[in-house]
Amino acid sequence: MDNLKKAFASKLLKIKAIKLQPNNPFTWASGWKSPFYCDNRKTLSYPELRNYVKLEIVHAVLENFPEVEAIAGVATGAIPQGALVADALNLPFVYVRSKPKDHGLENLIEGELRPGMKVVVIEDLISTGGSSLKAVDAIRRDGCEVIGMVASYTYGFPVAKKAFDDAHVKLITLTDYEHVVAEALETGYIAESDVEVLHEWRKDPAHWNG
């Protein structure tokens, strides 16, 4: 698994799906300042990499959750990859909106799940875990069992780890913060002095100001 995490971190850095800017922080939608930005959706534009991500998620699902009966993608980032994975596994696919549609049937879950189905949720990125676990709650309220989640990347924030533990959701990721930072340092993307800045940010991202 460590070899996969290192290899995938390298691929994300190569296509600039991950950007590290300790001296010129980004502002996230949450308002947090961050020296780190990750956009896994860029992988969709590279057929070879898109296929790589699909196959690695498929392997992760089969290895960790062999009893899976349906795949759910979290809107919007994980819808395409989730659909690709469901297709490869020949399983039903649904996606979960961040909030119910404001017209028509006002669906929160698009697609159809049968009560009692064992579902694996696909996510592109885990930050605090809030939106990912809202999707889990929606699926559980629909009468199904969430047996786990597979995500492309996690920042590994303590708040997210606690949230997943509290929700009793097993999380598997293709790569993570530690492997990305190590790979970025090894390839000269960032300097040794930047690593301390990144570590300080990850300890308390909500209050970090750069």
Side-chain angles (χ1 to χ4, degrees):
M1 192 68 181
D2 274 354
N3 286 342
L4 165 63
K5 288 185 173 180
K6 179 179 166 60
F8 189 40
S10 174
K11 291 174 190 293
L12 290 175
L13 286 164
K14 206 165 280 179
I15 66 164
K16 296 185 168 56
I18 285 178
K19 294 185 178 178
L20 301 173
Q21 294 180 188
N23 300 314
N24 184 23
F26 303 94
T27 302
W28 285 3
S30 61
W32 288 5
K33 294 286 184 189
S34 169
F36 200 127
Y37 188 77
C38 179
D39 182 6
N40 285 310
R41 288 167 292 199
K42 282 190 82 168
T43 62
L44 296 166
S45 300
Y46 298 83
E48 195 175 320
L49 184 51
R50 182 178 67 218
N51 200 46
Y52 172 90
V53 175
K54 176 188 75 175
L55 291 176
E56 291 301 344
I57 294 176
V58 165
H59 292 158
V61 171
L62 291 176
E63 188 177 326
N64 294 280
F65 313 110
E67 68 274 38
V68 62
E69 295 173 326
I71 298 291
V74 181
T76 57
I79 293 175
Q81 207 69 60
L84 288 167
V85 167
D87 191 57
L89 292 168
N90 197 32
L91 290 174
F93 175 72
V94 302
Y95 69 86
V96 187
R97 294 173 172 274
S98 55
K99 57 185 181 182
K101 214 165 41 168
D102 58 6
H103 60 278
L105 297 176
E106 300 182 355
N107 292 339
L108 186 60
I109 298 175
E110 298 290 0
E112 194 172 335
L113 292 172
R114 294 190 311 278
M117 271 184 152
K118 297 181 189 299
V119 181
V120 171
V121 179
I122 307 300
E123 182 61 289
D124 68 329
L125 177 145
I126 308 289
S127 52
T128 64
S131 56
S132 309
L133 292 172
K134 271 187 195 169
V136 169
D137 288 342
I139 294 165
R140 286 173 170 168
R141 285 197 304 272
D142 215 35
C144 295
E145 181 186 350
V146 174
I147 56 174
M149 185 180 296
V150 181
S152 293
Y153 175 82
T154 179
Y155 286 104
F157 295 138
V159 65
K161 185 179 185 321
K162 182 179 185 311
F164 274 84
D165 287 346
D166 290 349
H168 305 292
V169 176
K170 181 178 179 180
L171 174 64
I172 305 295
T173 61
L174 300 192
T175 194
D176 52 32
Y177 169 88
E178 285 84 3
H179 286 83
V180 166
V181 171
E183 191 65 19
L185 185 61
E186 192 178 306
T187 56
Y189 189 120
I190 55 172
E192 189 77 53
S193 57
D194 295 326
V195 175
E196 188 56 40
V197 175
L198 290 164
H199 287 349
E200 280 301 312
W201 162 74
R202 196 175 70 144
K203 278 183 207 164
D204 189 9
H207 299 104
W208 185 85
N209 283 312

